[in-house]
Amino acid sequence: MTTTQAPPQLRRVLFIGTPAAFVETERWVAAHGLESTRTLGDDLLVAIATEDVLDGICSAADAAAVQHVRALGVPCVGVAPTVPVLSLAAYLI
């Protein structure tokens, strides 16, 4: 009998922008069994960027990261300090 394994579920969340802006969101990510990262890869569930990054007010590296995830078809959402996780919750359903 041959068994096949399901492909691994994407569980990594890429953060793009100022680390201080993501403190609460990173806690929420960890509490829901997701792995937060600041390293680009092709195994991402979603990317979360600060509003400044999404507005283009960022470093060249941050802009390149946004372009990279968009080229991969990975959703890139913004996070506001007042509502840090609502935009991410949709990707866990």
Side-chain angles (χ1 to χ4, degrees):
M1 178 175 167
T2 305
T3 60
T4 59
Q5 288 186 311
Q9 190 174 12
L10 299 176
R11 305 300 293 171
R12 294 180 69 223
V13 178
L14 175 67
F15 287 91
I16 307 169
T18 308
F22 299 120
V23 173
E24 289 301 316
T25 306
E26 286 183 303
R27 287 183 190 142
W28 188 91
V29 163
H32 286 81
L34 301 172
E35 176 188 347
S36 62
T37 185
R38 296 193 189 279
T39 305
L40 290 174
D42 58 357
D43 59 345
L44 301 170
L45 171 67
V46 64
I48 300 176
T50 61
E51 291 301 320
D52 282 347
V53 169
L54 295 177
D55 289 341
I57 306 167
C58 60
S59 68
D62 287 345
V66 171
Q67 288 179 340
H68 178 81
V69 297
R70 287 184 174 159
L72 290 174
V74 173
C76 184
V77 297
V79 64
T82 56
V83 190
V85 295
L86 291 181
S87 57
L88 177 60
Y91 295 97
L92 299 178
I93 298 173

